[in-house]
Amino acid sequence: MTSPERLVLDDRERGLFRVHRSAFTSEEILEREREEIFGRSWLYVGHESEIPNPNDFHTRRVGGRTIIYARDKHGDIQVMLNTCRHRGAEVCRERRGNRKVFTCFYHGWAYSNRGELISVPDGDRYSAGFNRAEHGLFIPRAETYRGFTYLTYSADAPALTTYLADACHLIDLVADQSADGIQIVPGTHNYSMRANWKLLMENSCDGYHGFTVHQTYFEMMMNLGVTPGLVADQSNGSGYGLGNGHAVAESPELGMPLMSEDILAATAQRRVETVARWGEAHTMRMLNTTRNLILFPNMALIDLNFGIQVRTMYPTAPDGTELTGWQLLPKDAPDPLKAYRIDNALTFWGPAGLATPDDVEGLEQCQRGFSSLNEVQWSDISRGMGAERPTAVDELQMRSFWRQWNECITGEKASPEGPRYDTSYLTPATPDAALQTTSRSRS
């Protein structure tokens, strides 16, 4: 099969949107993605609650590079590439901890947790031309919005808030759920799937698959006396493009998972306190609305009221993806409510939970189906295209992602589809949401 002239067909007049399946199978396209998408976009690093104390750190892979996510002795957030400027070895081999200095195992070069080179064994053997200030750890551009830290490897990327565009409103809805802030639950879910990373980005904001793929979960809930909103009305909710490839599917929550009396009481009290802070309309959007938010290129923020998941997905091959999932909690939630939400994180989103295995199986089936690429070359993502009010079970969210993807890969720009995100719920006295810090950047 020869490569198609176009990878995305966006026919607004006919209401048709198609993606060529080589986008999920081609090594060449994956290399383009690594350069043009992961090398140029803002990528999620972590949440500042993961490093609460001076000198705390985590190491992880972001955009194919190993990085150190740290808080220095002054309490400032630092993001550094985990590679010695001498011969390349990782300077930190631990996943997390608390330390002021990172020392390379190979030759003993030592760096502060701000990235400065502070010690070189037998340093007097170097000539006068050797300048330690030029050999500190590489520090990419990094910014934090509402506690969520991102980095970019591009000097040309816009400011983070500009990049996030209308997605800032959705992040605010999560960050403002507690007067004391939100926090990541210690620990992660790390797993993989034999499917392309973009399939899970589609899936993360796709309400259309819910009732068929997760039928067992819905039947279980209905047998327990709870009717989830997707069952009650598959046309409820709305889908929005948020700019720059970000998108969200929102739905009013019509039924909640079973709660004990103490959890019901804690939830009700939390709502009373939130109404006092934000008003009824804002609280309805914050606490009584589910949202599946995707942040281009590879982050999902899923708030189903009984739990909030942060998820990233990175390609290892055209048909291979590594996934990491974290859980967010309101800091001021009482212990029984925290335990309830952590239990849901394990039993619903965990790699062996009620939802994730279903999704992985569905996406791996898609990937296996792409073996028929010569005969069936296009996937259709046209549901709801041209509708005046796209719903949460339409596919506007995925089209928003693909238009940005196509712009990154081909340079072809496309106008947005559908109405802008509805901010009519915003309380006039909204507290200042622009809580932003910027770390140093150095080449």
Side-chain angles (χ1 to χ4, degrees):
M1 192 197 86
T2 58
S3 298
E5 292 185 5
R6 303 172 68 90
L7 295 166
V8 173
L9 299 180
D10 187 359
D11 189 337
R12 305 293 180 96
E13 291 186 5
R14 299 173 62 203
L16 295 176
F17 193 96
R18 291 169 182 164
V19 174
H20 198 270
R21 292 180 176 179
S22 62
F24 302 99
T25 63
S26 167
E27 288 278 2
E28 180 182 355
I29 290 174
L30 176 57
E31 288 306 311
R32 290 278 294 168
E33 290 175 338
R34 286 174 171 149
E35 178 180 351
E36 301 296 337
I37 295 180
F38 293 103
R40 300 181 184 274
S41 302
W42 283 97
L43 306 174
Y44 178 67
V45 175
H47 191 269
E48 62 184 9
S49 64
E50 297 180 83
I51 45 175
N53 305 308
N55 306 316
D56 283 350
F57 72 88
H58 281 260
T59 58
R60 52 189 49 147
R61 289 182 63 82
V62 177
R65 290 84 155 170
T66 61
I67 63 100
I68 303 171
Y69 180 43
R71 197 180 290 272
D72 64 28
K73 64 181 181 180
H74 304 293
D76 296 328
I77 291 175
Q78 304 292 339
V79 178
M80 302 159 282
L81 292 192
N82 188 12
T83 178
C84 183
R85 294 299 285 263
H86 178 221
R87 301 280 283 279
E90 293 181 342
V91 300
C92 182
R93 296 184 293 161
E94 303 163 278
R95 293 188 63 183
R96 58 187 175 273
N98 182 281
R99 59 172 60 239
K100 298 178 182 179
V101 177
F102 301 106
T103 302
C104 178
F105 165 80
Y106 196 14
H107 292 97
W109 285 31
Y111 301 85
S112 75
N113 59 12
R114 291 178 60 85
E116 300 101 341
L117 177 62
I118 58 177
S119 177
V120 176
D122 296 326
D124 58 357
R125 299 295 298 165
Y126 287 86
S127 70
F130 178 80
N131 185 351
R132 289 192 184 188
E134 297 175 350
H135 289 78
L137 298 180
F138 185 97
I139 298 177
R141 290 177 61 194
E143 296 181 20
T144 297
Y145 180 74
R146 304 309 309 276
F148 297 90
T149 300
Y150 297 79
L151 67 75
T152 178
Y153 300 113
S154 170
D156 300 324
L160 177 61
T161 50
T162 301
Y163 179 81
L164 291 174
D166 284 349
C168 287
H169 300 303
L170 282 301
I171 296 174
D172 292 343
L173 283 174
V174 172
D176 290 328
Q177 290 185 21
S178 167
D180 294 335
I182 55 176
Q183 63 184 15
I184 289 284
V185 177
T188 58
H189 284 145
N190 295 293
Y191 56 105
S192 62
M193 67 177 188
R194 294 185 294 274
N196 188 273
W197 67 279
K198 299 183 292 297
L199 287 170
L200 188 57
M201 282 300 287
E202 292 181 347
N203 178 269
S204 295
C205 63
D206 173 19
Y208 191 27
H209 82 281
F211 190 61
T212 50
V213 171
H214 303 302
Q215 182 177 1
T216 300
Y217 170 75
F218 287 119
E219 289 178 351
M220 180 189 75
M221 296 305 297
M222 294 176 69
N223 288 337
L224 292 172
V226 176
T227 302
L230 188 63
V231 177
D233 183 0
Q234 290 201 32
S235 67
N236 69 26
S238 300
Y240 295 99
L242 302 170
N244 298 327
H246 319 310
V248 67
E250 284 191 324
S251 296
E253 181 54 72
L254 303 181
M256 293 291 288
L258 294 181
M259 295 180 175
S260 63
E261 291 299 322
D262 59 337
I263 299 302
L264 284 170
T267 301
Q269 179 60 34
R270 180 167 167 257
R271 194 180 194 285
V272 169
E273 295 168 355
T274 305
V275 170
R277 292 177 60 226
W278 294 101
E280 177 61 32
H282 204 135
T283 299
M284 281 293 296
R285 205 63 170 267
M286 184 182 292
L287 298 185
N288 301 111
T289 302
T290 67
R291 65 195 120 259
N292 287 57
L293 169 66
I294 58 169
L295 296 161
F296 188 90
N298 70 322
M299 178 187 175
L301 184 57
I302 303 172
D303 183 357
L304 300 185
N305 299 132
F306 60 79
I308 305 172
Q309 184 182 63
V310 180
R311 175 193 293 164
T312 60
M313 50 223 79
Y314 282 104
T316 58
D319 59 352
T321 303
E322 290 182 346
L323 299 102
T324 305
W326 300 265
Q327 289 299 311
L328 277 171
L329 286 175
K331 286 184 179 179
D332 58 2
D335 288 342
L337 182 56
K338 287 182 178 178
Y340 166 79
R341 295 180 72 152
I342 291 172
D343 181 66
N344 275 299
L346 295 170
T347 58
F348 187 79
W349 280 302
L354 290 164
T356 297
D358 291 343
D359 289 330
V360 169
E361 174 62 20
L363 303 184
E364 289 184 345
Q365 285 191 20
C366 290
Q367 193 71 39
R368 291 193 293 272
F370 296 155
S371 62
S372 302
L373 179 60
N374 284 339
E375 293 77 28
V376 184
Q377 298 186 14
W378 298 91
S379 289
D380 187 273
I381 312 179
S382 302
R383 183 176 168 88
M385 192 169 179
E388 182 177 350
R389 188 187 73 84
T391 73
V393 295
D394 286 331
E395 294 173 337
L396 177 145
Q397 305 85 261
M398 286 78 86
R399 292 192 292 273
S400 299
F401 170 89
W402 278 107
R403 288 181 180 119
Q404 182 68 21
W405 181 91
N406 190 53
E407 180 177 336
C408 291
I409 297 299
T410 69
E412 180 182 1
K413 295 183 180 292
S415 59
E417 175 190 351
R420 285 197 66 172
Y421 179 70
D422 178 15
T423 57
S424 60
Y425 65 88
L426 287 172
T427 301
T430 298
D432 182 11
L435 305 177
Q436 198 172 339
T437 60
T438 305
S439 75
R440 302 167 297 150
S441 92
R442 181 180 66 226
S443 60

